[in-house]
């Protein structure tokens, strides 16, 4: 039997951080962001296997994955345009939760259809891990798995619901994590179902 793990040190879940009204406002803003910077389907480095999630970004830098690898870049891979600005509500969240950290430079937008998942991984393409990764969930509930800093460490599973904020700070900044599944019909926020996850990240050191 696998050992159950407790949540790693530095991990915080802030359930219902965003009210329903705040979620609706954020969603409206994101729709405008996605007109400028449409969702694209990244592929895995080397193999070219498509991700099950579609992605976009806002902020001075955006995370992309293609045949050549994972990286941050300042333009959208399909349009070649700079990414849109990070919405104010998300900058306010960052200042509220991580008042001592430098401003976020990237906000990765993940869109999960009901069948999408995300394998266990670390967020480690940034130059610095001093700032936390701050995650916002909108739409259907997801089962989120988080373990330790070694892939083989025991993991624990928790649910992320619409409006919840999760913070991977301190030692949990480099914890392995992933999305096992999306629970269909658990939210009315997105009229066609599915889930949006936003992750705010500091990328550079200076
Ligand atoms: O969807 C989530 O809650 C997690 C997303 C994630 O881990 C990532 O984009 O690196
Ligand atoms: Fe991640």
């Amino acid at each position: 039997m696998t050992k159950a793990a407790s949540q790693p040190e530095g991990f915080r879940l802030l359930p219902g951080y965003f009210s329903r009204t705040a979620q609706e406002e954020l969603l409206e803003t994101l729709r405008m962001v996605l007109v400028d910077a449409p969702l694209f389907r990244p592929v895995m480095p080397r193999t070219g296997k498509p991700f099950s999630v579609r992605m976009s970004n806002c902020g001075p830098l955006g995370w992309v994955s293609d045949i050549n690898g994972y990286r941050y870049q300042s333009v959208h891979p399909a349009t070649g345009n700079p990414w849109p600005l990070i919405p104010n509500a998300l900058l306010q969240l960052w200042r509220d939760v991580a008042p001592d950290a430098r401003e976020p430079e990237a906000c990765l937008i993940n869109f999960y259809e009901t069948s999408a998942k995300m394998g266990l991984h670390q967020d480690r393409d940034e130059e610095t891990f001093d700032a936390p990764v701050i995650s916002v969930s909108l739409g259907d509930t997801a089962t989120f798995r988080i373990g330790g800093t070694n892939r083989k460490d025991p993991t624990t599973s928790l649910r992320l619901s619409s409006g919840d904020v999760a913070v991977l700070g301190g030692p949990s900044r480099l914890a392995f994590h992933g999305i096992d599944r999306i629970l269909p019909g658990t939210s009315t926020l997105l009229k066609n179902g599915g889930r949006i996850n936003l992750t705010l990240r500091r990328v550079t050191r200076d």
Side-chain angles (χ1 to χ4, degrees):
M1 213 173 93
T2 46
K3 256 189 302 173
S6 48
Q7 291 173 8
E9 200 187 324
F11 175 80
R12 283 206 286 157
L13 177 62
L14 309 173
Y17 182 95
F18 288 102
S19 67
R20 173 70 187 214
T21 307
Q23 292 170 47
E24 287 167 359
E25 285 168 7
L26 184 52
L27 186 60
E28 270 318 297
T29 310
L30 287 172
R31 287 195 202 287
M32 294 191 282
V33 165
L34 293 176
V35 169
D36 257 27
L39 290 168
F40 59 95
R41 192 180 299 279
V43 299
M44 292 295 292
R46 274 181 322 104
T47 62
K49 185 177 182 280
F51 281 52
S52 63
V53 296
R54 286 185 293 153
M55 294 181 175
S56 189
N57 289 273
C58 46
L61 292 170
W63 188 87
V64 300
S65 176
D66 62 20
I67 198 87
N68 300 314
Y70 304 136
R71 65 186 173 277
Y72 282 94
Q73 63 181 43
S74 58
V75 297
H76 189 287
T79 67
N81 293 331
W83 304 105
L85 296 177
I86 298 178
N88 255 315
L90 297 175
L91 293 176
Q92 275 173 26
L93 162 69
W94 180 274
R95 290 173 193 145
D96 180 26
V97 174
D100 300 328
R102 311 285 310 277
E103 293 282 280
E105 295 169 298
C107 174
L108 174 62
I109 304 166
N110 289 312
F111 178 70
Y112 296 77
E113 276 160 53
T114 303
S115 57
K117 20 174 136 295
M118 190 176 289
L120 212 61
H121 67 276
Q122 291 171 295
D123 292 358
R124 55 175 315 146
D125 299 319
E126 301 74 29
E127 284 173 12
T128 171
F129 307 125
D130 292 348
V133 168
I134 301 180
S135 142
V136 179
S137 294
L138 295 171
D140 284 337
T141 300
T143 55
F144 176 76
R145 182 171 295 283
I146 185 161
T149 52
N150 292 303
R151 183 175 284 281
K152 293 198 169 139
D153 288 343
T155 60
T156 183
S157 174
L158 55 131
R159 287 180 178 204
L160 298 179
S161 301
S162 198
D164 290 358
V165 167
V167 184
L168 282 79
S172 75
R173 173 64 181 77
L174 286 171
F176 277 86
H177 59 279
I179 294 292
D180 289 340
R181 74 188 213 94
I182 306 298
L183 306 175
T186 44
S187 167
T188 55
L189 188 71
L190 305 179
K191 75 173 185 309
N192 297 319
R195 170 174 183 262
I196 296 172
N197 173 261
L198 310 167
T199 46
L200 294 158
R201 299 130 184 261
R202 177 78 197 176
V203 179
T204 67
R205 228 183 283 277
D206 39 54

